[in-house]
Amino acid sequence: MSSLTFQLAVPATELSPNARIHWGRKAVAVKTAREAAKAEAERVLRDAGSRPMWARASYRATLYHLSARTPDPDNFIASLKACLDGIADAGVVANDRGLWPERPQFVRVERLPRVEITITPE
């Protein structure tokens, strides 16, 4: 297996490191994103018929967004933390400390905003 690709919802604004919200609202957003990412990762692993548990891997995140403005790459990567934890929970990597980002990509679309995360073992 050379790589795995996961399709996720665009991270909630509560997951942005710049969000100034009550900790309870953030906790709900983190839990929701983590569980959704874990479910998607388990689905992809089930379809692929394996459970890789890679020790080290890199990932590329692509944001398909509706806005004319390009998001800040640092904030985008930080807002994916709960999703990456969910992918690690599903067993794609042994520990999320072994998961390193590549430069994110941003693509403007007219409909169906989403995030695609492709993980490749090292």
Side-chain angles (χ1 to χ4, degrees):
M1 180 177 316
S2 60
S3 66
L4 294 170
T5 300
F6 310 96
Q7 286 195 21
L8 305 168
V10 174
T13 57
E14 291 88 354
L15 298 176
S16 170
N18 293 334
R20 302 293 179 251
I21 59 170
H22 187 273
W23 64 267
R25 279 186 50 206
K26 182 167 183 168
V28 169
V30 166
K31 182 177 181 181
T32 301
R34 188 172 185 155
E35 289 175 349
K38 181 179 179 185
E40 168 66 0
E42 288 173 341
R43 184 194 65 76
V44 168
L45 290 172
R46 195 171 38 255
D47 291 350
S50 69
R51 190 170 205 108
M53 273 300 229
W54 296 321
R56 291 179 12 160
S58 60
Y59 72 91
R60 169 159 292 175
T62 303
L63 173 64
Y64 296 89
H65 62 98
L66 303 174
S67 173
R69 294 178 41 200
T70 301
D72 180 276
D74 293 337
N75 289 339
F76 172 63
I77 291 294
S79 69
L80 292 177
K81 178 162 179 17
C83 296
L84 296 169
D85 288 344
I87 290 170
D89 291 346
V92 175
V93 291
N95 188 311
D96 66 338
R97 283 179 285 186
L99 195 55
W100 286 87
E102 294 178 9
R103 176 175 289 182
Q105 296 179 329
F106 302 106
V107 178
R108 186 165 183 235
V109 293
E110 294 192 23
R111 59 189 194 111
L112 300 174
R114 65 193 180 282
V115 172
E116 288 184 1
I117 298 176
T118 301
I119 299 180
T120 306
E122 294 182 351

